[in-house]
Amino acid sequence: MSRQRTSDLEVAIIGAGFGGLGTAIQLKQHGIEDFLVFEKTAGVGGTWWVNRYPGCACDVPSHLYSFSFAPNPDWTRRYAPRTEIQAYLESLVDRFRLEAHIRVRTGITQATWSEREQRWQLNDASGRKWRARVLVAALGGLSRPAWPDIPGLDDFAGEIVHSQQWNENLKLAGRRVAVIGTGASAVQLVPHVAREAKRLDIYQRTPNWILPRPDRAIGPRRRALYRRQPWLQKLARFGIWAISELRVPAFLWSNRLAAGHRWLAHRHRRRQVRDPELREQLKPDYDIGCKRVLLANDFYPVFDQRHVELVTDGIARIGPDAITDTGGQRRVVDTIILATGFKAVDPVPEGLIAGRGGCDLGKCWHSGPEAYKGTAVAGFPNLFMLLGPNTALGHNSVVMMIESQIRYLLAALDHMRAHGIETLEVRAEAQQRWNDMLARRMEGTVWTAGGCQSWYLHPETGRNSTLWPGFTLGFRQRLSRFDPEHYLATKSA
Ligand code: NAP
């Protein structure tokens, strides 16, 4: 009986990170109870559950990197560590009574649109089947780790770990360690690794723009004040958001507007790196913002330690116990840490989501993902994505984008209910126009003309399919109402 009830759903959500949990909360608050959140890991949290490398934290202030409809007055730091963000997300389950709606350790292996039933059919890893009218894919834009294609990587006999698949039993003390990559994850984990390792080689392919991290503790008095006067916390949130939005013109229109940030970054490097040659090697030669700008206070000082070496020659090959660089130097190593990022331009695994005519989302996006408003995809009826194509940000909190998308989803569900609509599918022309608009707005931005290669861009087409080229407010306005004129609708019989 209960199996019968749970196998048919109004809404199925894949993923219990910020996107999935936010959707669950808002569905409930909207009076919709017939939904489940499927999560393949053993707990909620998404990226904050999965990424467990030492030093993992968020580089967006926590008062903004949290839901507007679920504020947390108790953040203990301006930039909360992973554990605190994870605890916040876990607390939402109790706070909004989501327990009965969440299935952890339940990875959806396939979601297929059934023409006959006009429903999504879902299979989970244990073989159970589910059916849902609406599918919400809250998979996260950065959930698939990218393993580098370096000759000999598979021959390495020591321990090898990707930053996103951290092994909590990994022993670093007394080891010779190599970290490959110097991006957002690397700058957070490297200081911790340097403290333990006997020797640390850091392989840098491209230097990054690094700004000081203005982190500080939020004391008990301030926290009590936020609890008593929630409007003050809202004001703080608004201030952080508004200041972050001010970065957009420098990214979109003229990088000259980022002169202040450039100066700050150069001063930070000059102050923290004493050796002039090293300082030069760590100096980026492209426009600030072209790659994600990093915040770190304890990364540069690592290079002052005698057991740490910055390697700027490329990696020629990896052998069973050593890495050889393109200059021919061989460095013996016991452990390799890959801080090499994610498959951002290939976010949906092949075989996971199949739309009309069995069209596989992972395959049909082979030249880079495309959607309408980052949320709907032509050929995939009743599918809504969170943090889909062109919704990532280089300047502000993606939680703002998720909230805009959830609002749009709720408006679509209201529209379906009000008009007896069985299926909604975005028109291909509307999707095309949206992507033409994105392409126009990308022209001349720091991401396409800033002189760097980044994970924002598709490696073959060069198209930016990851970032939203604008203000978060602009995105919010565009998603503020559901626009049925851009959808094909079928009515219930
Ligand atoms: P990433 O920024 O893409 O950095 C990957 C690093 O690996 C880069 O330095 C890259 O060099 C290097 N690399 C990749 N393949 C390589 C190869 N074959 N040989 C040598 N080097 C190679 O990845 P990430 O640091 O994991 O961060 C990804 C994103 O996750 C961030 O931009 C951010 O959006 C998010 N993140 C956020 C936080 C936060 O605090 N909110 C923390 C961590 C991550 P190139 O630069 O030359 O490509």
Side-chain angles (χ1 to χ4, degrees):
M1 178 69 184
S2 75
R3 191 180 162 121
Q4 181 60 30
R5 196 163 58 85
T6 52
S7 65
D8 263 304
L9 301 165
E10 187 65 17
V11 183
I13 303 166
I14 309 180
F18 261 102
L21 292 177
T23 306
I25 295 167
Q26 293 282 287
L27 284 176
K28 260 182 103 82
Q29 293 189 336
H30 213 67
I32 300 172
E33 292 281 343
D34 186 11
F35 70 88
L36 284 180
V37 183
F38 297 97
E39 170 55 53
K40 67 180 172 199
T41 70
V44 303
T47 198
W48 300 103
W49 170 274
V50 174
N51 280 277
R52 287 162 183 252
Y53 59 82
C56 182
C58 188
D59 56 11
V60 177
S62 305
H63 282 303
L64 188 60
Y65 193 75
S66 43
F67 289 121
S68 62
F69 49 79
N72 172 21
D74 294 319
W75 294 116
T76 63
R77 300 204 69 81
R78 183 175 159 86
Y79 297 94
R82 174 197 94 78
T83 44
E84 214 171 316
I85 303 171
Q86 173 63 25
Y88 165 73
L89 290 168
E90 283 172 13
S91 76
L92 299 178
V93 176
D94 281 346
R95 186 167 161 189
F96 294 95
R97 300 176 201 280
L98 301 178
E99 184 84 53
H101 293 278
I102 297 174
R103 299 284 180 276
V104 293
R105 295 196 179 86
T106 310
I108 296 297
T109 51
Q110 202 174 34
T112 308
W113 176 251
S114 163
E115 241 17 289
R116 192 171 58 80
E117 297 182 346
Q118 300 287 288
R119 291 285 184 279
W120 283 96
Q121 291 178 336
L122 286 80
N123 296 340
D124 75 21
S126 71
R128 284 183 74 169
K129 293 185 190 306
W130 313 80
R131 205 162 43 188
R133 181 196 300 271
V134 170
L135 178 65
V136 177
L139 307 171
L142 299 173
S143 58
R144 305 183 70 206
W147 280 62
D149 189 12
I150 300 174
L153 187 64
D154 293 341
D155 302 335
F156 185 63
E159 201 151 6
I160 187 158
V161 64
H162 189 283
S163 60
Q164 194 236 30
Q165 297 164 331
W166 196 257
N167 170 1
E168 283 172 297
N169 298 318
L170 186 68
K171 296 231 177 343
L172 296 169
R175 302 279 161 94
R176 291 162 296 192
V177 181
V179 172
I180 301 179
T182 51
S185 303
V187 297
Q188 293 183 344
L189 66 85
V190 154
H192 296 263
V193 176
R195 248 171 257 145
E196 289 195 44
K198 181 169 82 178
R199 183 182 160 79
L200 173 59
D201 303 322
I202 300 169
Y203 289 83
Q204 170 188 272
R205 195 163 62 178
T206 317
N208 281 289
W209 285 97
I210 303 182
L211 290 171
R213 182 180 172 87
D215 194 15
R216 58 170 183 268
I218 301 175
R221 280 171 54 185
R222 170 74 66 98
R223 301 203 298 265
L225 186 64
Y226 285 156
R227 269 196 299 278
R228 278 199 315 273
Q229 306 285 351
W231 66 271
L232 277 177
Q233 192 188 358
K234 277 193 190 141
L235 194 66
R237 180 183 168 95
F238 176 80
I240 301 165
W241 168 79
I243 289 169
S244 306
E245 287 287 83
L246 292 179
R247 297 180 194 140
V248 172
F251 293 168
L252 243 53
W253 303 318
S254 170
N255 209 246
R256 283 201 214 133
L257 298 168
H261 281 115
R262 257 194 312 273
W263 175 82
L264 204 59
H266 287 315
R267 191 186 66 163
H268 188 48
R269 201 176 57 256
R270 272 198 310 275
R271 283 185 169 178
Q272 291 205 316
V273 185
R274 278 181 295 181
D275 178 351
E277 196 182 321
L278 199 54
R279 216 185 283 151
E280 206 49 36
Q281 289 176 313
L282 289 162
K283 183 177 169 185
D285 62 355
Y286 52 86
D287 289 349
I288 189 165
C290 186
K291 286 170 173 287
R292 189 179 171 93
V293 179
L294 310 181
L295 304 181
N297 296 339
D298 49 1
F299 178 66
Y300 286 144
V302 157
F303 296 101
D304 265 346
Q305 301 175 40
R306 290 169 67 91
H307 69 300
V308 178
E309 185 182 356
L310 176 71
V311 184
T312 54
D313 281 340
I315 299 173
R317 65 181 173 280
I318 297 179
D321 65 347
I323 298 179
T324 305
D325 69 28
T326 49
Q329 188 159 347
R330 182 174 179 274
R331 292 176 182 82
V332 175
V333 61
D334 305 307
T335 305
I336 296 178
I337 297 170
L338 300 173
T340 45
F342 302 91
K343 296 180 183 176
V345 294
D346 188 14
V348 179
E350 284 186 16
L352 180 61
I353 300 177
R356 278 205 203 285
C359 174
D360 186 300
L361 193 54
K363 279 194 194 136
C364 73
W365 275 354
H366 55 82
S367 54
E370 261 191 28
Y372 176 64
K373 300 192 171 180
T375 310
V377 186
F380 293 79
N382 293 1
L383 169 70
F384 294 87
M385 307 193 74
L386 297 178
L387 293 186
N390 295 101
T391 58
L393 298 173
H395 75 284
N396 213 323
S397 169
V398 287
V399 180
M400 314 287 296
M401 305 297 272
I402 291 173
E403 289 195 15
S404 298
Q405 293 185 290
I406 296 174
R407 211 170 291 129
Y408 185 75
L409 161 70
L410 293 180
L413 295 180
D414 284 347
H415 179 80
M416 289 174 86
R417 213 164 16 183
H419 296 88
I421 289 171
E422 195 73 17
T423 68
L424 276 177
E425 180 188 345
V426 70
R427 292 174 190 271
E429 317 84 77
Q431 183 171 314
Q432 186 61 49
R433 274 197 302 277
W434 177 262
N435 283 280
D436 290 346
M437 176 277 291
L438 290 172
R440 276 194 307 277
R441 292 178 69 138
M442 287 294 177
E443 276 173 30
T445 63
V446 70
W447 308 299
T448 47
C452 79
Q453 180 57 245
S454 73
W455 61 260
Y456 300 147
L457 308 178
H458 192 279
E460 281 142 38
T461 63
R463 196 166 69 81
N464 189 333
S465 55
T466 50
L467 286 182
W468 166 244
F471 296 94
T472 58
L473 197 60
F475 187 76
R476 188 184 167 130
Q477 275 164 350
R478 285 167 192 266
L479 274 76
S480 62
R481 68 168 191 97
F482 181 67
D483 39 4
E485 66 277 18
H486 295 317
Y487 285 78
L488 297 162
T490 60
K491 297 228 171 188
S492 318

